[in-house]
Amino acid sequence: MAISRPLRILQAGQDLGVVRIDRGATWLAPVRLFLRQNLAIQILEGLVAGILVGRLLPASALAPLSGLGDGFIRLFQMPVLPFLSVSLIAGVGRLQFAQASRLLGRSALVLIGFWLVVLLAVLLVPLGFPSWHDASFFKPSLLQAPKPLDLTELFIPVNPFAAFAETQIPAVVLFSLALGIALIAVPKRQPLIDVFDRIAEALLGISAFVARFTPLGVFAILATASASIESSQLPRLAVYVVLQGGIALLLAGLFLPLVIAGVTPIPVRQLLRSFRTPLTIAFATANMLVVLPILVELSKKLLYEARAAHLAPGVSEQELKDQVDLPVEVLAPLALVFPDMGRLLSLAFVPFAGWLTGNSISLQEMPGFLLTGLASAFLEGILAMTFLLDRMGLPSDLVQLYIAIDQLAVARLGTLLACMSVIALVIIGTWVSLEGFPKRFRRLVPAATALAVFPGFVLLSRVGFQLLPKPVNSARDQLMHQDFALAKGRAPVVQGWSPVDQPGDWQAIRRARAIRYCVHEQDYPMAYRNADGELVGADVEMGMLFAKQMGLKPSYVLIDRIGNANDPRPDGLQALERGYCDLKLSSDVMAPMQAARTRFTDAHLTYGVALLIKGSALSSKRQWSDLVEVQGLRVGLGFEAPFLLRLVAGWLPQAKFISSQGTDALLKALQEGRLDAVLVTAQQGASWNVLQPNLTLLVPQPLKSLPAARQLPWKSAALAGVWNAWLRFQEMDGTRQTVYRHWVEGIELRKDKS
């Protein structure tokens, strides 16, 4: 394919997009100096400048750069999918069936070898995590069922044009491959193949033109990405960046070049020097597609030179080109269909997410995780990561963190590895299809020796992390210092146990212009005392807002969970029957038998059922059916309602239940090994996990849900009606959702404190 002009443009960075400037304008000297530099240097300068600007300027000032960065990536991607398709059709169409079989068969062996190496690297990554226990607030995705993996839909397009429109690369490649194979049997096909060649040349010209603006595009992308990372996250994120980034660099800069040099006559230094500019572009843009055409042409150039030196004199240049062009043009697009090493290395984010949230993946889960990860790697990156997080029982909301880290650093190193793995597959696959595998494996000894560096790097990284000060538990700090999202003032706590006059009577409440609530004192994150001793939480705040809008003065009575024999405070049902409050504000699961003694408000929340566990013994039991098989399972329950006890016993018929203690006492028993698990709601269990991060929050599938409501005295129909009507307004204007997300999901809000 004749594309020497755009290739020269990309290789000669000083000639790329140079604008002639009046030499007399001294104030433009920095601009002239920048434009005279090599393109790779310009890109790196744009990258560094973007990071600095993103960390120093406020997010509002960077808003225009977001559109600029997106536009640059879109322009660079625009010609790539058509180029991939037409070059694959033309390349396969030129082949003979025997030639295609030899090329694809031997290249498949090379690809499988690469997969095994990178999956081994993923297995090593968790060994580098330091012993820093941490946990996160509740994520709504914990209650979402994992989506099934449909490889048929991914690979087999019903409508090829829809596959192009939706950028489904595997489907596009399958269609192009099928059309190319069909062309093999078509007589007089060469004129059509020549047309495809000319189209590919024009598409490559578009890529070469857009590449002129890479430094500007990279600056915009990095500025917005670096601004999205919070400073408190940096120490733990650095663990992932160092481990995955270091392995990516070792694979791309050491192992793969040594493998290429061991199989082919191409020296490591020549290889790295030749691909320096496109690898820099790929690193800076975090997008391999933008440099795919350049990788194709540079691979051909190196193979031409290697074959010319290897073959006997007298072989014509055209014959040499025919031997090299076809395999390269077939393998390069196919390399995008199958997971490259960079994409597979990104699977390490899943063990990192488990470590970050206190839900580490156990050793017995690793084989299944790696196989599932290999299959899901055929999907688009974000979709694949969401699927894997769901499958491993981790919050899929963490995919936002994955995107932020990738945009800032890891995706760029992963893209560098992806490019080098495509280069290695194309060059080695082409060479072994022509020359066969090397007879002497002595040349591969340096590459095999390089593999021994990986365990050493991981263990050395862990030692280094352990020497650093342990980062602050930012989630715990936030939970214990969080203030109301919308309400103002403090929640007054009633001392003593005096009953209310006509408890729950709306008219009496209106006359007194005061309402008294009952709440549990350790009902994280709904009602609890923060580090300053103030009563806070989602339920407490809703009570404050109701009182303000109804013109009432609120007060709160603290009640304990059932079974605390050393404290005279009654439980919620007793508090209502004795008239200690007008409304039990702490949300409870709606046990039907209690409806005969108290009145419930409308159900306002659905709790997901979860387990808090310690250690790895139950961490792989992600299905209720798996837990049923565990013999002698000891489960703590924070309630004694007969209906709920029978319900839970139906889920775990073999378990022994302990329900005579409050949640805090049950968790103490769990920490001491006297319990195997404590059954909690997922929303509240996440907050307890933040307080005790050495525990693990497990949400077994299929999801079990329980309705939650608030309780009132039996003769309080009017108050219940007023509360339900008021709550509907809070649903409509988003107040309830704001309060819920602030306390349960940890979404920090800024508000006027005046």
Side-chain angles (χ1 to χ4, degrees), residues 378-395:
F378 286 93
L379 298 169
E380 184 271 333
I382 297 175
L383 183 62
M385 188 55 61
T386 304
F387 168 79
L388 277 176
L389 291 171
D390 283 338
R391 181 58 60 92
M392 302 310 297
L394 299 170

Side-chain angles (χ1 to χ4, degrees), residues 59 414 504 633 650 676:
L633 186 65
D676 300 308

